[in-house]
Amino acid sequence: MSVLKNDRYLKALLRESVDYTPVWMMRQAGRYLPEYKATRAQAGDFMSLCRNADLACEVTLQPLRRYDLDAAILFSDILTIPDAMGLGLSFGAGEGPKFARPIECKSAVENLPIPDPEEELQYVMNAVRTIRGELKGEVPLIGFSGSPWTLATYMVEGGSSKTFGKIKKMMYSDSKTLHLLLDKLADSITLYLNAQIKAGAQAVMIFDTWGGVLGHREYLDFSLQYMHKIVDGLIRENDGRRVPVTLFTKGGALWLEAIANTGCDAIGLDWTVNLADAKARVGHKVALQGNMDPSVLYASSERIEQEVQSILADFGTGSGHVFNLGHGIHQDVPENAPKVFVNAVHHYSRIYHK
Ligand code: 1CP
């Protein structure tokens, strides 16, 4: 494998010194890019794009050609695992995900298989191997998965949800079944992420997009406990280098200390938390990733630069910060905004790394 030319992202996650703050954008490959839409049309539909290693590689690299990003993220989706478990995933045109066979009862959970990453999910590993080859060591490749709780919400609700009524009913009336599901997911995710690492992912991230809809005790019990189990089972060194793991819970600012105690290397933050406060609470243990509101990218270049400078000032001096949006980039941001954002992070962060 080629030598890594830009390792700022990996270094910052391990709180090692860098010359400027590295940056990438959650959902950096996607519908805000015309070339993504063209490749998706070529593939036919979203899952066919994920299953085609060459096209998945192409869309992974597209944002890197436009912007000076410090990391690439595998193009795939968090719902590949439930699909591989046999739930029948589809994405209608312009719609969210749908499962043909959602989880409705205990026996459905008991019968769920734990997918073999090099069998049912081999297309993901093939994409990782192809992307690593094509990146030629320019920047590191991030592998990812959804958290057990977040995957379970889609599996029980049958798709996206606003109220999470079905899964919360299961949580409060049949918690044993839900724990069994979360435990199986944690085992599946551990195998899946370890396979991504063996295939070439140099860091991994767990997206707990829906952890923030839980009550205080429920978050610890139904979400964080299972992410902790995954962190305990991950390969932490590969190819002579530490493989950092980032946990991102949207709406998770209440639980930063508990998240830091899982042994993860970094915590992903949304924009509801001030970086200075977060750093004071957990910065001696973990690195922080975030946390600009993605909607700032709708504003003028001056306003974007101002927001970047404020967030950099909040974090202050020293390493341990990976700049990012606090959630995925919106589909309709002006074409030039990501460039202004990325360049501003690099430009204005140098004074904090002397
Ligand atoms: O129409 C299209 O082209 C599909 C849109 C799309 C894209 C571009 C989906 C369907 N998934 C993706 C890619 C994707 N999903 C990536 C690629 C890597 C990147 O560039 O960052 C990643 C990391 C994800 C992760 C993902 N999928 C999450 C967690 C992160 C987050 O944004 O909170 C979630 C919740 C999903 C589910 C999902 N997949 C797709 C959609 C539209 C959704 C969200 C549905 C919902 O809101 O409930």
Side-chain angles (χ1 to χ4, degrees):
M1 282 279 178
S2 31
V3 186
L4 187 55
K5 292 171 203 156
N6 174 354
D7 62 357
R8 292 178 184 89
Y9 166 76
L10 297 179
K11 282 186 158 166
L13 288 178
L14 301 176
R15 293 180 296 137
E16 293 170 11
S17 66
V18 286
D19 50 357
Y20 56 74
T21 304
V23 56
W24 66 284
M25 298 183 292
M26 281 197 264
R27 297 279 191 106
Q28 64 192 19
R31 280 182 288 186
Y32 73 106
L33 293 174
E35 58 270 34
Y36 169 83
K37 286 187 216 157
T39 311
R40 186 187 192 273
Q42 192 187 337
D45 60 70
F46 176 71
M47 280 312 284
S48 305
L49 177 54
C50 293
R51 286 181 200 280
N52 181 320
D54 291 327
L55 295 184
C57 176
E58 165 60 23
V59 292
T60 299
L61 300 181
Q62 283 170 350
L64 301 163
R65 294 187 194 121
R66 279 182 183 250
Y67 316 117
D68 192 13
L69 298 156
D70 296 289
I73 181 162
L74 160 70
F75 188 83
S76 186
D77 195 73
I78 62 167
L79 300 176
T80 51
I81 287 185
D83 184 52
M85 288 175 152
L87 270 64
L89 174 64
S90 63
F91 288 90
E95 287 170 37
K98 284 247 170 333
F99 284 114
R101 293 171 288 282
I103 299 288
E104 282 166 350
C105 59
K106 189 169 185 200
S107 64
V109 176
E110 284 167 347
N111 291 330
L112 276 181
I114 296 199
D116 179 338
E118 286 290 359
E119 294 284 339
E120 299 92 313
L121 290 159
Q122 196 178 42
Y123 67 94
V124 178
M125 306 311 144
N126 289 342
V128 172
R129 287 184 274 264
T130 304
I131 298 163
R132 254 314 281 281
E134 288 300 312
L135 274 173
K136 300 189 170 65
E138 288 297 332
V139 291
L141 176 62
I142 307 168
F144 71 89
S145 168
S147 72
W149 164 258
T150 291
L151 293 187
T153 65
Y154 289 98
M155 294 168 79
V156 174
E157 301 289 337
S160 307
S161 174
K162 288 206 162 74
T163 58
F164 301 93
K166 290 181 184 152
I167 193 161
K168 287 199 172 184
K169 180 177 174 197
M170 186 187 274
M171 182 170 79
Y172 290 118
S173 60
D174 184 10
S175 61
K176 266 200 177 147
T177 297
L178 183 53
H179 277 301
L180 184 65
L181 173 58
L182 295 168
D183 201 54
K184 276 196 169 182
L185 283 168
D187 290 345
S188 304
I189 293 165
T190 307
L191 290 173
Y192 183 59
L193 289 177
N194 281 341
Q196 289 185 33
I197 293 167
K198 285 185 213 149
Q202 289 141 298
V204 292
M205 173 156 167
I206 299 176
F207 290 92
D208 185 27
T209 304
W210 303 120
V213 305
L214 289 166
H216 184 73
R217 279 185 300 275
E218 286 72 26
Y219 174 75
L220 300 177
D221 211 18
F222 291 91
S223 185
L224 192 63
Q225 179 188 179
Y226 294 97
M227 289 199 280
H228 195 159
K229 187 177 180 196
I230 296 167
V231 173
D232 283 344
L234 287 179
I235 297 171
R236 301 303 283 274
E237 206 180 298
N238 192 43
D239 235 357
R241 214 168 166 144
R242 175 113 175 148
V243 182
V245 46
T246 302
L247 301 186
F248 169 71
T249 293
K250 182 151 184 288
L254 274 174
W255 300 289
L256 293 188
E257 291 83 355
I259 299 171
N261 282 336
T262 59
C264 64
D265 298 283
I267 302 181
L269 302 170
D270 66 27
W271 56 93
T272 61
V273 59
N274 177 284
L275 264 191
D277 293 341
K279 190 182 179 189
R281 284 166 63 193
V282 296
H284 56 291
K285 271 199 178 152
V286 291
L288 298 172
Q289 175 181 281
N291 67 340
M292 191 173 91
D293 183 343
S295 298
V296 175
L297 295 182
Y298 292 130
S300 66
S301 299
E302 294 70 35
R303 185 68 186 85
I304 294 170
E305 294 201 335
Q306 190 190 352
E307 193 63 26
V308 165
Q309 289 178 73
S310 301
I311 292 171
L312 288 170
D314 285 338
F315 188 86
T317 53
S319 194
H321 182 205
V322 171
F323 217 114
N324 204 317
L325 305 173
H327 198 201
I329 186 168
H330 296 307
Q331 281 175 46
D332 54 349
V333 295
E335 206 162 303
N336 199 41
K339 185 172 242 140
V340 172
F341 166 65
V342 169
N343 290 347
V345 172
H346 287 169
H347 178 76
Y348 293 108
S349 63
R350 288 182 185 270
I351 54 165
Y352 297 103
H353 295 282
K354 283 195 174 133

